[in-house]
């Protein structure tokens, strides 16, 4: 076993001495406290961290589990937590540093953020008729107005639902309709690689098929021409000028919804993951403090997009709740060259840098020697998120970027968990490459055997679960409570009680460290973007010539996973135009979901491997896509010969 052991890197001594959690004794003490007095632990931090408008009377109510309530009776406003309460001590501190694609920049102080958010909130109320509880869809580029929009919704008690700018009009429409949003906030577009790109036309297209949206707010960012629909579309840049800079924050109950964020599951329809007020913001702030250990004068940069959960928790809510300076970047990391992020690290003296393994692989591959050109000595903590990081990428990150002195926090979490759940603490946890290490204090994360519900032994695969509710966990799936219970509390029981199952497989090593091995369901992770195979299949099936389709993930050098589609066509002669069909299939995906879900491989096969009851045996398809031998018994298939036919179709494509 010893040669399989991963090397261990101890925390930097100097860093540890000044960290919030300084060593494993402190980590263990916190964890023991949570284990012995779970409610007392959370009560302590909720009182210490949150500026309450009204105190809560109950820490945790599990009587209707898995529908739990945290901090009941309490009232707060998340925008106050993120802005107002800092004004006494941080009025002139940079809250957001924005760098545009073209190198333009803006520094927004907490004072300015307060004014901008209040104006935005007043505009939503006065000009768009937004009220507490209304859903507002935000379809925006990475510009400060996206953060203002989120915080403005929070201020007036509206529920925002951000749709990532890479989603198509159809995908946007589905999410608008599911949430029944009455207002959409968007931009004309933004800049990417020195060129304007457009978002407003996508909104126009999405709204053609639905009548739920009454008004659209358009931020003018790139100044390109857009169509204005009279009585529906209004310019933010015009309306904002006349708004008052004060807007009294709505007192929100702890368990009223803060936002929805649609994510992929194992069926075709994306789920509207609901997060509520107090528990979410508490853990966003606590994990910022513990995992990134951001100090008062630090500058922190997370490269995610606000369209994903990482952008919500670790660009906007977490950093602002703790009063940090957060960097927002509009561009792409490889433009004008793969030194861009390192140039920005030098320029802004970034102290914590947080990105996805895909980005690290791209930056490594296309700019191995770029980091050496810049002064990266300000860096203290490096983070990764979204997918397992492979050891070579980890090594480069650790050495070339971190200079061997920065901890890498491999943060494991999900849209549903609201914040990190398994991660190293940079001043305490000895780290191992490509290992998320230990559950954070307060999170009762365990790897369980799905059959017995017992903790698995060293090296045995099991399911990554959380066995107690925690404050920032998903509260529900919008409009579908049954699906919530079924999706997360259906697979694993511990001591006879259903526990939260993440959907990921994991392993313990001999030190009790957790390595996440990947999804156990039909969700794939393409460039850190979470994608449901069923969603992609549903899109492909819309092509009139497609009879059947099965989509699986295939390891990809840069993206982590790529999308591999097995397609059965209607009618035999259509196969002659294969190249054309591949293009058409990708066009359908582009229309239904967006460019982020395009297939890397499309293989035309005569049939799919199905059991006699009609279930597609995806494991066989995954093995074929990876070029692995099929170890599974194929005799139970309805037509075992189809496997060989699929293999030869795949092989002939490779030639
Ligand atoms: C995967 C992103 C390994 C995992 C925050 C999870 C990871 C899914 C890690 C959630 C990590 C996230 N190591 N895998 N450090 N972090 N994942 O909802 O499969 O977009 O279930 O949230 O990403 O993706 P989501």
């Amino acid at each position: 076993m010893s040669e399989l052991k991963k090397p261990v890197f101890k925390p930097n001594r100097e860093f540890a001495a000044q960290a919030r959690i300084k060593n494993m004794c402190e980590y263990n003490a916190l964890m023991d406290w949570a284990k012995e007095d779970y409610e007392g632990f959370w009560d302590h931090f909720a009182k210490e961290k949150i500026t309450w408008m009204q105190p809560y009377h109950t820490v945790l109510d599990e009587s209707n589990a898995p529908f739990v309530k945290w901090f009941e009776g309490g009232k707060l406003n998340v925008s106050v937590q993120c802005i107002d309460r800092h004004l006494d001590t941080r009025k002139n501190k940079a809250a957001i540093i924005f760098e545009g694609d073209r190198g333009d920049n803006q520094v927004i102080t907490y004072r300015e953020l307060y004014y901008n958010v209040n104006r935005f909130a007043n505009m939503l109320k006065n000009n768009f008729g937004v009220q507490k509880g209304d859903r507002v869809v935000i379809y925006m580029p990475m510009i400060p107005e996206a953060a203002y929009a989120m915080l403005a919704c929070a201020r007036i008690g509206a529920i925002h639902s951000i749709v990532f700018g890479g989603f198509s009009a159809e995908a946007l429409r589905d999410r608008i309709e599911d949430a029944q949003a009455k207002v959409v906030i968007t931009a004309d577009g933004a800049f990417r690689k020195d060129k304007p790109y457009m978002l407003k036309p996508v909104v126009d297209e999405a709204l053609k098929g639905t009548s739920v949206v009454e008004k659209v707010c358009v931020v003018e960012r790139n100044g390109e021409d857009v169509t204005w629909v009279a009585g529906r579309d209004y310019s933010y840049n015009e309306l904002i000028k006349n708004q008052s800079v004060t807007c009294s924050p709505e007192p929100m109950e702890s368990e009223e919804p803060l936002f929805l964020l649609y994510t992929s599951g194992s069926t075709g329809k994306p789920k509207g993951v609901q997060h509520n007020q107090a528990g979410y913001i508490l853990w966003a702030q606590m994990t910022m403090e513990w995992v990134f250990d951001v100090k008062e004068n630090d500058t922190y940069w997370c490269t995610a997009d606000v369209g994903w959960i990482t952008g919500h928790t670790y660009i906007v809510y977490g950093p602002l709740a703790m009063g940090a300076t957060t960097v927002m970047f509009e561009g792409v990391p490889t433009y004008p060259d793969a030194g861009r992020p390192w140039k920005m690290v030098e320029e802004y003296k970034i102290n914590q840098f947080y990105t996805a393994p895909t980005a690290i692989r791209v930056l490594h591959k296309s700019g191995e020697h770029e980091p050496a050109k810049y002064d990266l000595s300000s860096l203290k903590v490096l983070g990764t998120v979204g997918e397992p990081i492979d050891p070579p990428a980890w090594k480069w990150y650790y050495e070339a970027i971190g200079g061997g002195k920065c901890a890498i926090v491999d943060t494991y979490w999900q849209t549903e968990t609201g914040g990190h759940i398994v991660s190293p603490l940079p001043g305490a946890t000895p780290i191992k490459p490509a290992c998320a290490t230990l559950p954070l204090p307060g999170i009762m994360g365990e790897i369980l055997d799905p059959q017995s519900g017992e903790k698995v032994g060293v090296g045995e695969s099991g399911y990554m679960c959380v066995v107690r509710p925690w404050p920032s966990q998903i509260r529900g799936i919008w409009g579908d409570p049954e699906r919530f219970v079924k999706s997360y509390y259906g697979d694993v029981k511990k001591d006879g009680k259903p526990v939260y199952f993440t959907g990921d497989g994991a392993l313990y090593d001999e030190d009790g460290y957790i390595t996440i091995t990947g999804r156990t369901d039909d969700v794939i992770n393409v460039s850190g973007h979470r994608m449901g195979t069923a969603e992609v299949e549903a899109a492909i099936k819309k092509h009139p010539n497609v009879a059947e389709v099965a989509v699986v993930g295939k390891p990809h050098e840069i993206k982590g996973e790529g999308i591999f589609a097995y397609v059965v066509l209607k009618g035999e002669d259509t196969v002659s135009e294969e190249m054309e069909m591949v293009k058409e299939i990708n066009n359908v995906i582009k229309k239904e979901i967006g460019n982020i879900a395009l297939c890397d491989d499309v293989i035309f096969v005569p049939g799919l491997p199905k059991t006699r009851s009609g279930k597609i045996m995806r494991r066989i398809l995954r093995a074929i896509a990876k070029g692995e031998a099929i170890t599974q018994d194929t005799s139970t298939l309805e037509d075992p010969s189809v496997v060989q036919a699929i293999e030869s179709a795949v092989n002939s494509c490779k030639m």
Side-chain angles (χ1 to χ4, degrees), residues 560-626:
E561 274 185 296
I563 302 179
F564 193 110
Y566 295 93
V567 173
V568 184
L569 293 172
K570 288 178 187 161
E572 281 164 23
D573 52 351
T574 41
V575 193
S576 55
E577 300 295 336
E578 273 189 13
M579 289 306 289
E580 213 29 57
M581 264 309 276
V582 172
K583 244 194 250 158
E584 284 181 25
I585 284 172
N586 271 328
N587 280 338
V588 178
I589 295 176
K590 207 160 142 182
K591 176 161 176 287
E592 296 292 322
I593 306 176
N595 281 339
I596 50 174
L598 295 184
C599 291
D600 293 278
D601 299 272
V602 178
I603 303 289
F604 299 99
V605 292
L608 297 172
K610 287 188 190 161
T611 60
R612 288 193 189 99
S613 59
K615 196 172 172 288
I616 298 171
M617 304 275 274
R618 284 165 190 282
R619 237 179 305 164
I620 294 180
L621 294 175
R622 275 188 218 117
I624 298 177
K626 286 184 198 164

Side-chain angles (χ1 to χ4, degrees), residues 309 385-388 410-415 504 519 525 530:
I309 191 68
V385 58
E387 50 178 319
D410 181 344
T411 63
Y412 166 72
W413 61 298
Q414 318 175 289
T415 304
D504 285 299
R519 303 285 309 195
N525 214 319
R530 183 169 156 183

Side-chain angles (χ1 to χ4, degrees), residues 7-135:
V8 180
F9 299 82
K10 295 220 172 102
N12 176 325
R13 272 236 189 95
E14 235 177 279
F15 179 86
Q18 54 81 64
R20 284 188 178 79
I21 301 177
K22 296 178 171 51
N23 50 54
M24 288 310 281
C25 288
E26 292 190 4
Y27 166 83
N28 288 324
L30 281 166
M31 209 46 159
D32 290 344
W33 176 13
K35 281 182 185 153
E36 279 154 28
D37 179 14
Y38 197 61
E39 291 185 21
F41 173 91
W42 289 111
D43 185 34
H44 169 87
F45 288 107
K47 288 206 172 99
E48 182 185 288
K49 305 288 177 194
I50 291 184
T51 301
W52 294 96
M53 290 173 160
Q54 178 180 301
Y56 53 88
H57 52 68
T58 309
V59 176
L60 169 63
D61 175 1
E62 292 183 80
S63 57
N64 193 26
F67 299 93
V68 295
K69 290 183 177 159
W70 283 92
F71 313 120
E72 238 190 314
K75 287 195 176 163
L76 74 160
N77 185 285
V78 165
S79 77
V80 170
Q81 184 73 12
C82 291
I83 310 169
D84 306 38
R85 72 192 192 100
H86 303 308
L87 294 177
D88 279 346
T89 52
R90 303 186 174 109
K91 205 166 185 173
N92 297 316
K93 175 174 174 174
I96 298 175
I97 295 178
F98 168 71
E99 170 144 324
D101 173 73
R102 301 172 154 190
D104 50 318
N105 55 48
Q106 271 182 67
V107 177
I108 299 114
T109 63
Y110 273 93
R111 184 181 128 268
E112 289 167 319
L113 182 64
Y114 173 77
Y115 292 151
N116 292 338
V117 168
N118 283 343
R119 281 197 199 101
F120 209 122
N122 284 325
M123 177 192 72
L124 289 178
K125 282 204 288 198
N126 300 336
N127 301 92
F128 293 89
V130 178
Q131 293 176 352
K132 179 176 165 179
D134 285 343
R135 272 79 60 212

Side-chain angles (χ1 to χ4, degrees), residues 134-138 149-151 153-154 158-162 258-261 312 317:
D134 285 343
R135 272 79 60 212
V136 173
V137 161
I138 300 176
M150 295 163 78
L151 292 159
C153 287
I159 306 167
H160 63 70
S161 171
I162 307 190
L258 175 64
F259 66 82
L260 308 179
L261 183 56
H312 284 63
Y317 287 119

